[in-house]
Amino acid sequence: MTDRGTDEISFRRTGIGGFVVFTRPKALNALTLGMIRAYEPTLADWAKDANLRHVVQWGDGGKSFCAGGDVRAVCDAGLAAKRSGRADPLTRDFFFEEYRLNRRLARFPKPIVSIVDGICMGGGVGLSVHGRYRVATERTLFAMPESAIGLFPDVGGSFFLPRLPGRMGDFLGLTGERIKAADMLHLGLATHYVESAKLPDLIKALESESADVVLKRFHSDPGPATLPALQAQIDRCFAPRTVEGILAALDAEGSEWASKLAARLRKMSPTSLKVSLRQLEEGAGLSIEDALRMEFRLVQRCMAADDFYEGIRAVLIDKDHAPKWKPATLAEVSAADVARYFAPLADGDELTFVD
Ligand code: QUE
């Protein structure tokens, strides 16, 4: 079978497993279009390989599973396109092919074991959360941080976030809160906990034994979760169905936890917050395919607007963490402005899937 490995992603077919490693440790294994283009056809091959029982994936370097999409490259391409007046394919192709990969992972006919040892945010969540098994370790950090860069919780966030308990999905998707292994396990975002020192033996065992048996044997207790004690406050504060209402509820709460969250939300893109809240409401009733199709519409509207480029400047380029959003206030973002993000794209521009 073809080995489509590159310097950014490697594939190994051993025993009953297909093993995938993200190999951009200096960029925290942020997902590039090249990685997506190598991975997608490999998965298509592996789906048909009768001797392959599961896929196992992890990130090289011990710090990160995958920190997200390579949004810096997408930002550079989009800015160059805006300046030259000529379209750059990357602002379309990156998300089109990333979301297609998310869907292929979600519909993959055999178990996918994601070893989430280190940072797993944004695009990294999209690679792992839709598969059958997610193994967290003492080094795991999970978040959907897109609202800080003028985006919204994509890569299937519309599908998995609204299915979390109570208002937890709104909380994670709007605030970008970072959580660790015990809370991931509590929410079902992780299925197992394994100390990172045991991972080499775990990976070796997956060459010859079925994933459910191996994971049961390596699993241990991650310790107490912190979110159960916050669930009632989260449900109360994120119950309002407007961003303004959520902020008012956080202000009314009067706790340090709530005032810190309100301050964090007030620094995020007003457009992102309003689009995200509606996105998470719509997603509750959608299939993974319809959720990703909606997200593709949203992300293409974000590419045509300003906040994404300003968010990348403030967070990843200048790192001043002081973005100047347009519009700057929630009051300036009308329901009609939000609705325009959700409108269908031109015929032929919509996200489509192939088997
Ligand atoms: C929100 C995001 C991302 C982010 C920061 C945010 C994201 C992403 C990265 C990232 C981090 C380190 C890298 C890199 C990218 O940061 O998606 O190339 O080396 O990929 O606040 O959504």
Side-chain angles (χ1 to χ4, degrees), residues 188-243:
L189 292 168
T191 57
H192 296 81
Y193 178 78
V194 177
E195 288 160 38
S196 61
K198 294 184 181 163
L199 293 177
D201 290 342
L202 171 80
I203 290 165
K204 187 77 192 155
L206 288 167
E207 293 180 2
S208 60
E209 293 179 81
S210 76
D212 56 344
V213 169
V214 170
L215 291 171
K216 215 171 275 171
R217 189 164 75 240
F218 279 80
H219 175 73
S220 64
D221 182 353
T226 66
L227 288 174
L230 293 168
Q231 183 83 51
Q233 289 171 81
I234 288 167
D235 291 351
R236 212 164 37 237
C237 295
F238 289 81
R241 296 293 81 202
T242 63
V243 177

XYZ file of all heavy atoms in Angstrom, residues 188-243:
425
model
N -16.806 12.687 29.100
C -16.781 11.749 27.974
C -15.943 12.246 26.811
O -15.932 11.630 25.748
N -15.241 13.355 26.994
C -14.344 13.837 25.933
C -13.109 12.943 25.856
O -12.509 12.792 24.794
C -13.947 15.294 26.183
C -15.113 16.277 26.036
C -14.744 17.659 26.564
C -15.547 16.381 24.570
N -12.727 12.354 26.990
C -11.747 11.261 26.999
C -12.489 9.995 27.422
O -13.465 10.056 28.177
C -10.607 11.550 27.969
N -12.023 8.861 26.902
C -12.636 7.573 27.286
C -11.752 6.808 28.262
O -12.243 5.913 28.946
C -12.870 6.696 26.041
O -11.618 6.514 25.364
C -13.873 7.353 25.095
N -10.438 7.132 28.299
C -9.500 6.429 29.161
C -8.434 7.389 29.667
O -8.196 8.437 29.055
C -8.817 5.267 28.419
C -9.777 4.192 27.989
N -10.549 4.304 26.855
C -10.105 3.005 28.570
C -11.316 3.225 26.736
N -11.075 2.420 27.768
N -7.791 7.011 30.776
C -6.648 7.752 31.304
C -5.471 6.795 31.436
O -5.603 5.711 32.028
C -6.984 8.347 32.681
C -5.825 9.085 33.308
C -5.489 10.371 32.902
C -5.047 8.486 34.303
C -4.417 11.047 33.456
C -3.973 9.158 34.876
C -3.660 10.436 34.452
O -2.598 11.105 34.999
N -4.337 7.187 30.878
C -3.127 6.355 30.957
C -1.959 7.286 31.256
O -1.802 8.332 30.593
C -2.873 5.595 29.624
C -1.571 4.797 29.691
C -4.048 4.668 29.293
N -1.116 6.958 32.242
C 0.061 7.778 32.521
C 0.978 7.782 31.303
O 1.184 6.741 30.668
C 0.813 7.218 33.725
C 0.097 7.437 35.047
C 0.612 6.475 36.125
O 1.836 6.208 36.142
O -0.212 5.989 36.911
N 1.559 8.945 30.996
C 2.335 9.064 29.752
C 3.506 8.083 29.711
O 3.881 7.614 28.634
C 2.828 10.502 29.555
O 3.669 10.882 30.616
N 4.068 7.737 30.872
C 5.201 6.793 30.895
C 4.825 5.422 30.337
O 5.688 4.660 29.892
C 5.729 6.645 32.328
N 3.533 5.108 30.364
C 3.094 3.784 29.890
C 2.721 3.765 28.401
O 2.367 2.717 27.860
C 1.865 3.331 30.698
C 2.159 3.085 32.164
C 0.912 2.551 32.847
C 1.172 2.320 34.329
N -0.107 2.203 35.070
N 2.793 4.921 27.738
C 2.313 4.986 26.356
C 3.100 4.117 25.375
O 2.490 3.482 24.505
C 2.268 6.443 25.872
C 1.222 7.320 26.587
C 1.317 8.768 26.094
C -0.193 6.786 26.365
N 4.444 4.046 25.489
C 5.155 3.162 24.547
C 4.656 1.715 24.612
O 4.476 1.077 23.572
C 6.621 3.285 24.992
C 6.699 4.652 25.606
C 5.374 4.843 26.318
N 4.401 1.213 25.814
C 3.891 -0.156 25.954
C 2.465 -0.276 25.410
O 2.100 -1.283 24.805
C 3.899 -0.587 27.427
C 5.321 -0.796 27.954
O 6.234 -0.948 27.117
O 5.501 -0.804 29.185
N 1.666 0.766 25.631
C 0.286 0.780 25.113
C 0.298 0.695 23.584
O -0.430 -0.104 22.978
C -0.418 2.071 25.565
C -1.788 2.345 24.945
C -2.872 1.528 25.630
C -2.150 3.819 25.009
N 1.136 1.520 22.967
C 1.206 1.559 21.503
C 1.684 0.213 20.961
O 1.134 -0.312 19.987
C 2.128 2.722 21.053
C 1.430 4.059 21.348
C 2.478 2.604 19.578
C 2.332 5.284 21.290
N 2.675 -0.385 21.615
C 3.196 -1.698 21.207
C 2.083 -2.752 21.261
O 1.921 -3.553 20.332
C 4.367 -2.086 22.112
C 5.096 -3.340 21.707
C 6.015 -3.075 20.516
C 6.534 -4.388 19.917
N 6.913 -4.240 18.504
N 1.307 -2.727 22.357
C 0.240 -3.722 22.528
C -0.812 -3.603 21.417
O -1.412 -4.609 21.011
C -0.407 -3.567 23.901
N -1.007 -2.385 20.914
C -2.028 -2.169 19.885
C -1.605 -2.699 18.510
O -2.397 -2.692 17.575
C -2.390 -0.675 19.807
C -3.200 -0.171 21.008
C -3.246 1.348 21.035
C -4.620 -0.739 20.995
N -0.366 -3.194 18.411
C 0.056 -3.855 17.167
C -0.579 -5.238 17.044
O -0.699 -5.769 15.949
C 1.589 -3.991 17.118
C 2.291 -2.658 16.995
C 3.819 -2.794 16.942
O 4.324 -3.946 16.957
O 4.490 -1.751 16.895
N -0.973 -5.828 18.191
C -1.423 -7.222 18.142
C -2.704 -7.513 18.914
O -3.259 -8.594 18.778
C -0.308 -8.139 18.679
O -0.002 -7.783 20.010
N -3.183 -6.567 19.742
C -4.379 -6.836 20.547
C -5.455 -5.795 20.268
O -5.146 -4.647 19.950
C -4.035 -6.772 22.042
C -3.119 -7.844 22.541
C -2.850 -7.624 24.019
O -3.682 -8.003 24.854
O -1.801 -7.007 24.324
N -6.705 -6.183 20.466
C -7.792 -5.261 20.153
C -7.797 -4.078 21.119
O -7.395 -4.178 22.284
C -9.131 -5.979 20.159
O -9.533 -6.217 21.474
N -8.273 -2.941 20.621
C -8.181 -1.680 21.357
C -8.945 -1.743 22.682
O -8.450 -1.268 23.714
C -8.696 -0.538 20.487
N -10.137 -2.330 22.688
C -10.926 -2.332 23.931
C -10.208 -3.093 25.046
O -10.164 -2.632 26.193
C -12.354 -2.860 23.688
C -12.397 -4.245 23.065
O -11.369 -4.705 22.527
O -13.468 -4.876 23.118
N -9.589 -4.233 24.699
C -8.872 -5.036 25.687
C -7.641 -4.291 26.213
O -7.409 -4.204 27.429
C -8.455 -6.402 25.060
C -7.483 -7.142 25.967
C -9.693 -7.240 24.757
N -6.865 -3.718 25.310
C -5.636 -3.014 25.693
C -5.963 -1.806 26.571
O -5.339 -1.582 27.612
C -4.860 -2.566 24.437
C -3.712 -1.635 24.808
C -4.351 -3.773 23.668
N -6.963 -1.035 26.170
C -7.275 0.202 26.894
C -7.800 -0.109 28.295
O -7.482 0.594 29.257
C -8.275 1.039 26.096
C -7.675 1.630 24.818
C -8.751 2.271 23.959
C -6.578 2.638 25.143
N -8.581 -1.165 28.427
C -9.073 -1.579 29.744
C -7.898 -1.910 30.672
O -7.906 -1.566 31.840
C -9.994 -2.804 29.578
C -11.161 -2.844 30.553
C -12.158 -3.957 30.210
C -13.187 -3.541 29.173
N -14.017 -4.667 28.685
N -6.880 -2.557 30.112
C -5.729 -2.980 30.912
C -4.848 -1.797 31.327
O -4.301 -1.773 32.430
C -4.909 -4.000 30.105
C -3.811 -4.675 30.901
C -3.277 -5.927 30.214
N -2.415 -5.640 29.075
C -2.640 -6.036 27.829
N -3.727 -6.731 27.537
N -1.795 -5.743 26.855
N -4.703 -0.792 30.485
C -3.798 0.331 30.781
C -4.482 1.465 31.541
O -3.822 2.328 32.105
C -3.191 0.879 29.477
C -2.035 0.074 28.976
C -2.234 -1.108 28.283
C -0.719 0.480 29.210
C -1.162 -1.869 27.813
C 0.354 -0.265 28.752
C 0.130 -1.435 28.043
N -5.800 1.475 31.541
C -6.551 2.573 32.151
C -6.290 2.680 33.657
O -6.179 1.690 34.353
C -8.052 2.346 31.918
C -8.952 3.338 32.582
N -9.080 4.641 32.137
C -9.750 3.236 33.671
C -9.928 5.285 32.923
N -10.354 4.450 33.857
N -6.182 3.931 34.152
C -6.130 4.139 35.607
C -6.940 5.375 35.970
O -7.508 6.038 35.104
C -4.681 4.252 36.078
O -4.068 5.386 35.508
N -6.989 5.683 37.271
C -7.841 6.758 37.781
C -7.117 8.103 37.641
O -6.014 8.257 38.162
C -8.148 6.454 39.265
C -9.068 7.493 39.878
O -9.370 8.516 39.217
O -9.477 7.292 41.028
N -7.721 9.087 36.979
C -7.066 10.389 36.823
C -7.221 11.298 38.039
O -6.714 12.421 38.036
C -7.798 10.998 35.621
C -9.171 10.416 35.695
C -9.013 9.025 36.264
N -7.919 10.868 39.079
C -8.177 11.761 40.214
C -9.472 12.519 40.015
O -10.185 12.300 39.033
N -9.792 13.422 40.951
C -11.106 14.068 40.932
C -11.250 15.124 39.828
O -10.304 15.843 39.512
C -11.205 14.726 42.313
C -9.800 14.930 42.735
C -8.986 13.836 42.117
N -12.442 15.184 39.266
C -12.780 16.219 38.292
C -13.176 17.501 39.019
O -13.621 17.459 40.169
C -13.928 15.738 37.408
N -13.003 18.654 38.355
C -13.380 19.932 38.969
C -14.731 20.433 38.461
O -15.388 21.236 39.126
C -12.331 21.025 38.665
O -12.343 21.296 37.262
C -10.932 20.575 39.070
N -15.140 19.996 37.269
C -16.353 20.554 36.664
C -17.667 20.161 37.348
O -18.615 20.965 37.320
C -16.407 20.217 35.167
C -15.403 20.995 34.301
C -15.432 20.489 32.853
C -15.685 22.500 34.333
N -17.770 18.976 37.942
C -19.057 18.658 38.587
C -19.490 19.723 39.599
O -20.680 20.057 39.684
C -18.781 17.314 39.269
C -17.755 16.675 38.400
C -16.862 17.811 37.944
N -18.532 20.302 40.321
C -18.867 21.328 41.315
C -19.296 22.646 40.661
O -19.881 23.505 41.334
C -17.672 21.570 42.240
N -18.993 22.811 39.366
C -19.331 24.057 38.669
C -20.556 23.924 37.773
O -21.060 24.932 37.244
C -18.149 24.519 37.804
C -16.897 24.969 38.551
C -15.720 25.121 37.588
C -17.151 26.298 39.278
N -21.044 22.682 37.585
C -22.099 22.449 36.593
C -23.333 23.318 36.843
O -23.888 23.893 35.894
C -22.494 20.968 36.552
C -23.540 20.626 35.488
C -22.950 20.412 34.093
O -22.014 19.654 33.912
N -23.509 21.102 33.093
N -23.756 23.442 38.085
C -24.973 24.219 38.369
C -24.783 25.690 38.011
O -25.671 26.314 37.414
C -25.368 24.073 39.845
N -23.600 26.236 38.346
C -23.321 27.643 37.981
C -23.243 27.807 36.475
O -23.720 28.808 35.919
C -21.977 28.085 38.584
C -21.988 28.253 40.086
C -20.569 28.482 40.604
O -20.071 29.601 40.542
N -19.929 27.434 41.095
N -22.601 26.832 35.809
C -22.490 26.884 34.342
C -23.882 26.840 33.718
O -24.200 27.637 32.826
C -21.588 25.730 33.835
C -20.129 26.015 34.196
C -21.766 25.523 32.326
C -19.194 24.831 34.041
N -24.733 25.946 34.195
C -26.083 25.823 33.632
C -26.886 27.111 33.844
O -27.637 27.541 32.967
C -26.817 24.638 34.271
C -26.222 23.304 33.841
O -25.375 23.289 32.924
O -26.592 22.269 34.432
N -26.699 27.732 35.006
C -27.399 28.969 35.314
C -26.903 30.121 34.426
O -27.696 30.835 33.816
C -27.105 29.311 36.789
C -28.183 29.999 37.517
C -28.055 29.989 39.037
N -26.739 30.117 39.607
C -26.190 29.219 40.443
N -26.844 28.119 40.784
N -24.987 29.418 40.959
N -25.582 30.278 34.339
C -25.018 31.442 33.647
C -25.111 31.330 32.129
O -25.153 32.362 31.439
C -23.561 31.642 34.051
S -23.371 32.062 35.784
N -25.115 30.112 31.612
C -25.164 29.946 30.156
C -26.558 29.560 29.662
O -26.742 29.217 28.499
C -24.077 28.964 29.689
C -22.695 29.544 29.801
C -22.024 29.542 31.024
C -22.094 30.172 28.720
C -20.766 30.117 31.152
C -20.843 30.750 28.834
C -20.170 30.724 30.059
N -27.561 29.671 30.553
C -28.939 29.396 30.139
C -29.514 30.479 29.214
O -30.242 30.152 28.279
C -29.834 29.229 31.364
N -29.214 31.770 29.446
C -29.761 32.788 28.537
C -29.347 32.505 27.097
O -28.255 32.006 26.846
C -29.142 34.086 29.043
C -28.799 33.823 30.462
C -28.403 32.379 30.517
N -30.215 32.808 26.164
C -29.954 32.488 24.756
C -29.435 33.677 23.957
O -29.513 33.688 22.730
C -31.208 31.869 24.122
C -31.627 30.525 24.718
C -30.606 29.389 24.438
N -29.460 29.393 25.346
C -28.281 28.810 25.065
N -28.090 28.192 23.935
N -27.298 28.860 25.922
N -28.946 34.694 24.659
C -28.209 35.776 24.009
C -26.883 35.951 24.739
O -26.774 35.626 25.935
C -28.961 37.125 24.069
O -29.088 37.517 25.453
C -30.340 37.030 23.424
N -25.876 36.449 24.018
C -24.578 36.682 24.647
C -24.711 37.751 25.730
O -24.129 37.637 26.819
C -23.525 37.078 23.588
C -22.189 37.405 24.254
C -23.352 35.963 22.559
